[in-house]
Amino acid sequence: MPVPDIRQVRRRCALLLPVVLLLLGAAAPPQRPAVDPEPVVGTDRGAVRGRAHGAYDTFEGIPFAAPPTGARRWRLPEPAPHWEGVRDAGAPGARCVQLPVLGPGGPIGSEDCLYLNVTTPAGGRAADGRLRPVMVWFHGGGFFSGSGDTYRPDRPAERGGAVVVTVNYRLGVFGLFAHPELGGAPDFALADQRAALRWVRANAERFGADPRDVTVFGESAGALSVCAHLTSPASAGLFHRAIVQSGSCSTTVPPGAVLPGLGRYEPFVPEWRTVEEGTLAAARLGCGGPAGVLDCLRRLDTGALATADLMQRFSLVSYGNGTLPLEPRRALEAGRFHRVPVMQGATRDEARLFLVQTLAAYPIGDEAAYRARLERSFGASAADAVEARYPVSAHPTPAIAWATLLTDASFICPALRDGAALARHVPTYEYRFSDRGAPNFTGLPEVPGLPFGAAHGFELPYLFTMAPLSDPQRRLADRMTDYWTAFARTGVPTAPGAPPWPRHGSAAAVLSLAPGAGGIRTVDARAEHHCALWDAQWPGVTTAG
């Protein structure tokens, strides 16, 4: 067996959430068979011509802000220019600059990338004349990969009667760079998303939707974005409901959990840390003078900036500034967030997708290797308590045992902790996606001893058209679409013929989602995932201490 290139493994796993690159960033946008006629809608910047697809229409590649190029690099988004005539909206706009997901190669995409896509039920308003709810999707990809056009939202539009908007936003060093000359870390990626929400507020009614009924939703880095908007004063009034999928405000991955030597992953970091990184990066790029640093950096071409190091180094969202005064999880605990209903959840086997990328190079082949990881990630004092609750003997393989505890510690229990904080102030609904037979649409092969199960992102084909589903899975997809779009309409997730979804507040208040008879049911997720253990053994992550 050839020895793996460890440098390549480290490069691909420099962060944990960027696994979403493989889920979302690599696929070409699905082809949509268009039929005549071509619908035309007038926006506040000019008219756009979309494409009709029978039960739904699409309008793609609509600019929602001016191109952030040249002197606009690292500036807050400005309004898109007006245009004359009718602009063709039959294809997506350019993706934001990013590196290829698989294999070598230079940057792809463009800095001129602030485009969005609208999918709306045919005919605009509902049959009774009412305006439709709007669902605005923020893609995943670790904040340095992905694009809105990867997702085909015909199911929530056609079945759920929602108008769905998918959004591009600046990535990596272009979206999350910081420097003293910028006044800190403006979090341009979040500013782009806010600009898209302002576009929705100005234009939703033109597409038959209600600008006073906007739901933001996203998965992984997109979910972290939703969390940020929930706790950002700058996002006040731009949305009315929020859905957080596999990326809660408290998502944190312990050191060495996936890759030896990799430190603790926290998606939100203090602004001073990012500013320091920006100052050092500018100096390494030859722009470290006492003044004019940004002018120097803006003269560099895209390729000089879109390196693997810089795109990943600047993929963390800064707090302690005007956008995010507090670390988001602390803001939730303090009740400092927008009072909107929230739906959030995780998949049952989140961590398996992260581990399959490194398991061949760093196997967990026996109990000794398992114990070594426990001590590296949680410390020797906590290892005994964790091992007692997650013994290797209770799982098919040591790798599955490790993936199970990592899912609980990093995703499910932190999300439940956030849910408790949210539920003190707003209606909160929590789910667990549990279909361990969900389709693997990532392009990654399974590794021996670690099937994907219900891995990170594997709920996405049930909400978007992304992969073939079996008949029972299609029925589950219908129920999930009903829940999601009902929440967007009313703030309460309901589905005809499906079990009721209780609000957070009782022990068995998490809705488990799986196909088949009895597959949708409430569970006591705190007990099933040993959250009391993580509250005690890993304070500061699942508790506010």
PDB file of all heavy atoms in Angstrom, residues 246-271:
ATOM      1  N   SER A 246     -26.697  21.702  11.259  1.00  0.00           N
ATOM      2  CA  SER A 246     -25.347  21.132  11.421  1.00  0.00           C
ATOM      3  C   SER A 246     -24.266  22.203  11.510  1.00  0.00           C
ATOM      4  O   SER A 246     -23.230  22.110  10.867  1.00  0.00           O
ATOM      5  CB  SER A 246     -25.027  20.161  10.277  1.00  0.00           C
ATOM      6  OG  SER A 246     -25.905  19.062  10.300  1.00  0.00           O
ATOM      7  N   GLY A 247     -24.504  23.207  12.338  1.00  0.00           N
ATOM      8  CA  GLY A 247     -23.507  24.242  12.573  1.00  0.00           C
ATOM      9  C   GLY A 247     -24.038  25.239  13.579  1.00  0.00           C
ATOM     10  O   GLY A 247     -24.343  26.371  13.228  1.00  0.00           O
ATOM     11  N   SER A 248     -24.177  24.825  14.845  1.00  0.00           N
ATOM     12  CA  SER A 248     -24.771  25.688  15.852  1.00  0.00           C
ATOM     13  C   SER A 248     -23.768  26.746  16.302  1.00  0.00           C
ATOM     14  O   SER A 248     -22.581  26.690  15.992  1.00  0.00           O
ATOM     15  CB  SER A 248     -25.211  24.856  17.066  1.00  0.00           C
ATOM     16  OG  SER A 248     -24.084  24.413  17.794  1.00  0.00           O
ATOM     17  N   CYS A 249     -24.283  27.715  17.066  1.00  0.00           N
ATOM     18  CA  CYS A 249     -23.398  28.757  17.600  1.00  0.00           C
ATOM     19  C   CYS A 249     -22.301  28.164  18.480  1.00  0.00           C
ATOM     20  O   CYS A 249     -21.254  28.789  18.672  1.00  0.00           O
ATOM     21  CB  CYS A 249     -24.207  29.763  18.419  1.00  0.00           C
ATOM     22  SG  CYS A 249     -25.331  30.799  17.445  1.00  0.00           S
ATOM     23  N   SER A 250     -22.527  26.986  19.045  1.00  0.00           N
ATOM     24  CA  SER A 250     -21.564  26.378  19.969  1.00  0.00           C
ATOM     25  C   SER A 250     -20.750  25.251  19.349  1.00  0.00           C
ATOM     26  O   SER A 250     -20.035  24.540  20.062  1.00  0.00           O
ATOM     27  CB  SER A 250     -22.296  25.846  21.210  1.00  0.00           C
ATOM     28  OG  SER A 250     -22.850  26.896  21.959  1.00  0.00           O
ATOM     29  N   THR A 251     -20.842  25.053  18.047  1.00  0.00           N
ATOM     30  CA  THR A 251     -20.045  24.004  17.396  1.00  0.00           C
ATOM     31  C   THR A 251     -18.563  24.210  17.681  1.00  0.00           C
ATOM     32  O   THR A 251     -18.011  25.279  17.427  1.00  0.00           O
ATOM     33  CB  THR A 251     -20.276  24.017  15.879  1.00  0.00           C
ATOM     34  OG1 THR A 251     -21.640  23.721  15.611  1.00  0.00           O
ATOM     35  CG2 THR A 251     -19.387  22.991  15.183  1.00  0.00           C
ATOM     36  N   THR A 252     -17.925  23.190  18.226  1.00  0.00           N
ATOM     37  CA  THR A 252     -16.502  23.245  18.560  1.00  0.00           C
ATOM     38  C   THR A 252     -15.944  21.836  18.450  1.00  0.00           C
ATOM     39  O   THR A 252     -16.580  20.887  18.904  1.00  0.00           O
ATOM     40  CB  THR A 252     -16.289  23.762  19.995  1.00  0.00           C
ATOM     41  OG1 THR A 252     -17.013  24.977  20.178  1.00  0.00           O
ATOM     42  CG2 THR A 252     -14.826  24.002  20.280  1.00  0.00           C
ATOM     43  N   VAL A 253     -14.771  21.691  17.870  1.00  0.00           N
ATOM     44  CA  VAL A 253     -14.161  20.370  17.715  1.00  0.00           C
ATOM     45  C   VAL A 253     -12.876  20.326  18.523  1.00  0.00           C
ATOM     46  O   VAL A 253     -12.042  21.234  18.423  1.00  0.00           O
ATOM     47  CB  VAL A 253     -13.880  20.066  16.230  1.00  0.00           C
ATOM     48  CG1 VAL A 253     -13.269  18.681  16.068  1.00  0.00           C
ATOM     49  CG2 VAL A 253     -15.181  20.152  15.426  1.00  0.00           C
ATOM     50  N   PRO A 254     -12.676  19.296  19.354  1.00  0.00           N
ATOM     51  CA  PRO A 254     -11.510  19.261  20.242  1.00  0.00           C
ATOM     52  C   PRO A 254     -10.208  19.059  19.482  1.00  0.00           C
ATOM     53  O   PRO A 254     -10.196  18.576  18.341  1.00  0.00           O
ATOM     54  CB  PRO A 254     -11.804  18.086  21.166  1.00  0.00           C
ATOM     55  CG  PRO A 254     -12.715  17.203  20.387  1.00  0.00           C
ATOM     56  CD  PRO A 254     -13.557  18.133  19.551  1.00  0.00           C
ATOM     57  N   PRO A 255      -9.091  19.402  20.097  1.00  0.00           N
ATOM     58  CA  PRO A 255      -7.787  19.249  19.433  1.00  0.00           C
ATOM     59  C   PRO A 255      -7.467  17.785  19.157  1.00  0.00           C
ATOM     60  O   PRO A 255      -7.769  16.904  19.962  1.00  0.00           O
ATOM     61  CB  PRO A 255      -6.812  19.860  20.443  1.00  0.00           C
ATOM     62  CG  PRO A 255      -7.509  19.792  21.756  1.00  0.00           C
ATOM     63  CD  PRO A 255      -8.964  19.960  21.455  1.00  0.00           C
ATOM     64  N   GLY A 256      -6.884  17.545  18.005  1.00  0.00           N
ATOM     65  CA  GLY A 256      -6.450  16.202  17.654  1.00  0.00           C
ATOM     66  C   GLY A 256      -7.568  15.232  17.366  1.00  0.00           C
ATOM     67  O   GLY A 256      -7.326  14.036  17.218  1.00  0.00           O
ATOM     68  N   ALA A 257      -8.784  15.717  17.233  1.00  0.00           N
ATOM     69  CA  ALA A 257      -9.916  14.810  17.072  1.00  0.00           C
ATOM     70  C   ALA A 257      -9.911  14.110  15.730  1.00  0.00           C
ATOM     71  O   ALA A 257     -10.287  12.946  15.613  1.00  0.00           O
ATOM     72  CB  ALA A 257     -11.225  15.571  17.254  1.00  0.00           C
ATOM     73  N   VAL A 258      -9.494  14.802  14.692  1.00  0.00           N
ATOM     74  CA  VAL A 258      -9.480  14.235  13.348  1.00  0.00           C
ATOM     75  C   VAL A 258      -8.058  14.087  12.834  1.00  0.00           C
ATOM     76  O   VAL A 258      -7.743  13.140  12.130  1.00  0.00           O
ATOM     77  CB  VAL A 258     -10.312  15.125  12.394  1.00  0.00           C
ATOM     78  CG1 VAL A 258     -10.169  14.672  10.957  1.00  0.00           C
ATOM     79  CG2 VAL A 258     -11.773  15.104  12.798  1.00  0.00           C
ATOM     80  N   LEU A 259      -7.192  15.008  13.207  1.00  0.00           N
ATOM     81  CA  LEU A 259      -5.823  15.014  12.705  1.00  0.00           C
ATOM     82  C   LEU A 259      -4.869  15.313  13.856  1.00  0.00           C
ATOM     83  O   LEU A 259      -5.003  16.347  14.513  1.00  0.00           O
ATOM     84  CB  LEU A 259      -5.678  16.088  11.624  1.00  0.00           C
ATOM     85  CG  LEU A 259      -4.449  16.034  10.736  1.00  0.00           C
ATOM     86  CD1 LEU A 259      -4.513  14.816   9.820  1.00  0.00           C
ATOM     87  CD2 LEU A 259      -4.363  17.301   9.902  1.00  0.00           C
ATOM     88  N   PRO A 260      -3.917  14.435  14.154  1.00  0.00           N
ATOM     89  CA  PRO A 260      -2.959  14.730  15.214  1.00  0.00           C
ATOM     90  C   PRO A 260      -2.231  16.045  14.942  1.00  0.00           C
ATOM     91  O   PRO A 260      -1.832  16.342  13.825  1.00  0.00           O
ATOM     92  CB  PRO A 260      -1.996  13.541  15.152  1.00  0.00           C
ATOM     93  CG  PRO A 260      -2.793  12.439  14.539  1.00  0.00           C
ATOM     94  CD  PRO A 260      -3.709  13.107  13.554  1.00  0.00           C
ATOM     95  N   GLY A 261      -2.108  16.847  15.955  1.00  0.00           N
ATOM     96  CA  GLY A 261      -1.432  18.129  15.809  1.00  0.00           C
ATOM     97  C   GLY A 261      -2.347  19.268  15.438  1.00  0.00           C
ATOM     98  O   GLY A 261      -1.956  20.445  15.516  1.00  0.00           O
ATOM     99  N   LEU A 262      -3.567  18.955  15.035  1.00  0.00           N
ATOM    100  CA  LEU A 262      -4.522  20.006  14.703  1.00  0.00           C
ATOM    101  C   LEU A 262      -5.155  20.519  15.983  1.00  0.00           C
ATOM    102  O   LEU A 262      -5.648  19.749  16.805  1.00  0.00           O
ATOM    103  CB  LEU A 262      -5.600  19.458  13.769  1.00  0.00           C
ATOM    104  CG  LEU A 262      -6.616  20.465  13.223  1.00  0.00           C
ATOM    105  CD1 LEU A 262      -5.936  21.458  12.289  1.00  0.00           C
ATOM    106  CD2 LEU A 262      -7.738  19.737  12.492  1.00  0.00           C
ATOM    107  N   GLY A 263      -5.133  21.820  16.185  1.00  0.00           N
ATOM    108  CA  GLY A 263      -5.681  22.396  17.406  1.00  0.00           C
ATOM    109  C   GLY A 263      -7.197  22.383  17.426  1.00  0.00           C
ATOM    110  O   GLY A 263      -7.865  21.922  16.503  1.00  0.00           O
ATOM    111  N   ARG A 264      -7.722  22.926  18.485  1.00  0.00           N
ATOM    112  CA  ARG A 264      -9.173  23.001  18.649  1.00  0.00           C
ATOM    113  C   ARG A 264      -9.771  23.887  17.550  1.00  0.00           C
ATOM    114  O   ARG A 264      -9.245  24.968  17.250  1.00  0.00           O
ATOM    115  CB  ARG A 264      -9.478  23.580  20.025  1.00  0.00           C
ATOM    116  CG  ARG A 264     -10.946  23.824  20.317  1.00  0.00           C
ATOM    117  CD  ARG A 264     -11.116  23.996  21.815  1.00  0.00           C
ATOM    118  NE  ARG A 264     -12.263  24.831  22.165  1.00  0.00           N
ATOM    119  CZ  ARG A 264     -12.718  24.950  23.410  1.00  0.00           C
ATOM    120  NH1 ARG A 264     -12.086  24.319  24.396  1.00  0.00           N
ATOM    121  NH2 ARG A 264     -13.763  25.703  23.666  1.00  0.00           N
ATOM    122  N   TYR A 265     -10.856  23.414  16.956  1.00  0.00           N
ATOM    123  CA  TYR A 265     -11.535  24.193  15.924  1.00  0.00           C
ATOM    124  C   TYR A 265     -12.678  24.973  16.554  1.00  0.00           C
ATOM    125  O   TYR A 265     -13.590  24.397  17.163  1.00  0.00           O
ATOM    126  CB  TYR A 265     -12.090  23.293  14.822  1.00  0.00           C
ATOM    127  CG  TYR A 265     -12.988  24.058  13.866  1.00  0.00           C
ATOM    128  CD1 TYR A 265     -12.435  24.896  12.907  1.00  0.00           C
ATOM    129  CD2 TYR A 265     -14.376  23.979  13.972  1.00  0.00           C
ATOM    130  CE1 TYR A 265     -13.256  25.619  12.054  1.00  0.00           C
ATOM    131  CE2 TYR A 265     -15.191  24.699  13.117  1.00  0.00           C
ATOM    132  CZ  TYR A 265     -14.625  25.516  12.162  1.00  0.00           C
ATOM    133  OH  TYR A 265     -15.429  26.248  11.328  1.00  0.00           O
ATOM    134  N   GLU A 266     -12.643  26.284  16.395  1.00  0.00           N
ATOM    135  CA  GLU A 266     -13.732  27.158  16.811  1.00  0.00           C
ATOM    136  C   GLU A 266     -14.020  28.093  15.641  1.00  0.00           C
ATOM    137  O   GLU A 266     -13.121  28.815  15.198  1.00  0.00           O
ATOM    138  CB  GLU A 266     -13.359  27.952  18.054  1.00  0.00           C
ATOM    139  CG  GLU A 266     -13.133  27.088  19.279  1.00  0.00           C
ATOM    140  CD  GLU A 266     -12.681  27.899  20.484  1.00  0.00           C
ATOM    141  OE1 GLU A 266     -11.541  28.380  20.469  1.00  0.00           O
ATOM    142  OE2 GLU A 266     -13.484  28.062  21.423  1.00  0.00           O
ATOM    143  N   PRO A 267     -15.235  28.120  15.141  1.00  0.00           N
ATOM    144  CA  PRO A 267     -15.512  28.932  13.950  1.00  0.00           C
ATOM    145  C   PRO A 267     -15.554  30.426  14.216  1.00  0.00           C
ATOM    146  O   PRO A 267     -15.416  31.224  13.289  1.00  0.00           O
ATOM    147  CB  PRO A 267     -16.879  28.424  13.493  1.00  0.00           C
ATOM    148  CG  PRO A 267     -17.515  27.858  14.720  1.00  0.00           C
ATOM    149  CD  PRO A 267     -16.397  27.309  15.540  1.00  0.00           C
ATOM    150  N   PHE A 268     -15.748  30.827  15.478  1.00  0.00           N
ATOM    151  CA  PHE A 268     -15.797  32.241  15.836  1.00  0.00           C
ATOM    152  C   PHE A 268     -14.594  32.570  16.712  1.00  0.00           C
ATOM    153  O   PHE A 268     -14.353  31.893  17.719  1.00  0.00           O
ATOM    154  CB  PHE A 268     -17.103  32.558  16.574  1.00  0.00           C
ATOM    155  CG  PHE A 268     -18.334  32.253  15.768  1.00  0.00           C
ATOM    156  CD1 PHE A 268     -19.078  31.103  16.018  1.00  0.00           C
ATOM    157  CD2 PHE A 268     -18.745  33.101  14.747  1.00  0.00           C
ATOM    158  CE1 PHE A 268     -20.214  30.813  15.273  1.00  0.00           C
ATOM    159  CE2 PHE A 268     -19.878  32.809  13.989  1.00  0.00           C
ATOM    160  CZ  PHE A 268     -20.607  31.665  14.251  1.00  0.00           C
ATOM    161  N   VAL A 269     -13.834  33.590  16.335  1.00  0.00           N
ATOM    162  CA  VAL A 269     -12.599  33.925  17.035  1.00  0.00           C
ATOM    163  C   VAL A 269     -12.577  35.419  17.348  1.00  0.00           C
ATOM    164  O   VAL A 269     -13.232  36.212  16.663  1.00  0.00           O
ATOM    165  CB  VAL A 269     -11.357  33.540  16.196  1.00  0.00           C
ATOM    166  CG1 VAL A 269     -11.299  32.036  15.975  1.00  0.00           C
ATOM    167  CG2 VAL A 269     -11.352  34.288  14.864  1.00  0.00           C
ATOM    168  N   PRO A 270     -11.817  35.834  18.366  1.00  0.00           N
ATOM    169  CA  PRO A 270     -11.742  37.262  18.681  1.00  0.00           C
ATOM    170  C   PRO A 270     -11.153  38.066  17.521  1.00  0.00           C
ATOM    171  O   PRO A 270     -10.252  37.601  16.817  1.00  0.00           O
ATOM    172  CB  PRO A 270     -10.822  37.309  19.911  1.00  0.00           C
ATOM    173  CG  PRO A 270     -10.819  35.927  20.462  1.00  0.00           C
ATOM    174  CD  PRO A 270     -11.037  35.014  19.299  1.00  0.00           C
ATOM    175  N   GLU A 271     -11.642  39.276  17.339  1.00  0.00           N
ATOM    176  CA  GLU A 271     -11.178  40.099  16.241  1.00  0.00           C
ATOM    177  C   GLU A 271      -9.672  40.332  16.285  1.00  0.00           C
ATOM    178  O   GLU A 271      -9.007  40.302  15.240  1.00  0.00           O
ATOM    179  CB  GLU A 271     -11.908  41.452  16.268  1.00  0.00           C
ATOM    180  CG  GLU A 271     -11.478  42.387  15.139  1.00  0.00           C
ATOM    181  CD  GLU A 271     -12.198  43.726  15.203  1.00  0.00           C
ATOM    182  OE1 GLU A 271     -11.912  44.514  16.121  1.00  0.00           O
ATOM    183  OE2 GLU A 271     -13.042  43.974  14.331  1.00  0.00           O
TER     184      GLU A 271
END
